[in-house]
Amino acid sequence: MKATKVDKDLCIGCGLCCGICGEVFRMNEQGKAEAYQRANAENQGAVQEAADSCPVSAIA
Ligand code: F3S
């Protein structure tokens, strides 16, 4: 499974990704999202949904 990445320069800290898939995304101290786990077979759908939902397309 490829590593999920958040572009911190793009992220506006809306928090949507963490709400959709808290197993992979969390907010850091700068108020930006980060992917702290690799996606797995169970949550890859939610990771994709988070990527599709991000308003600034910061998740790849
Ligand atoms: Fe940031 Fe997009 Fe998540 S703006 S907090 S990466 S949904």
Side-chain angles (χ1 to χ4, degrees):
M1 205 100 14
K2 91 176 169 67
T4 303
K5 281 218 170 113
V6 177
D7 185 330
K8 292 187 174 58
D9 294 330
L10 289 178
C11 175
I12 55 171
C14 78
L16 212 55
C17 53
C18 307
I20 292 170
C21 190
E23 285 177 22
V24 171
F25 301 101
R26 67 182 171 199
M27 301 305 286
N28 67 18
E29 280 149 22
Q30 286 78 46
K32 307 275 184 160
E34 62 185 15
Y36 68 104
Q37 299 253 50
R38 290 176 86 90
N40 60 38
E42 277 87 64
N43 62 28
Q44 63 176 329
V47 170
Q48 187 59 51
E49 189 189 335
D52 292 344
S53 303
C54 176
V56 292
S57 301
I59 301 168

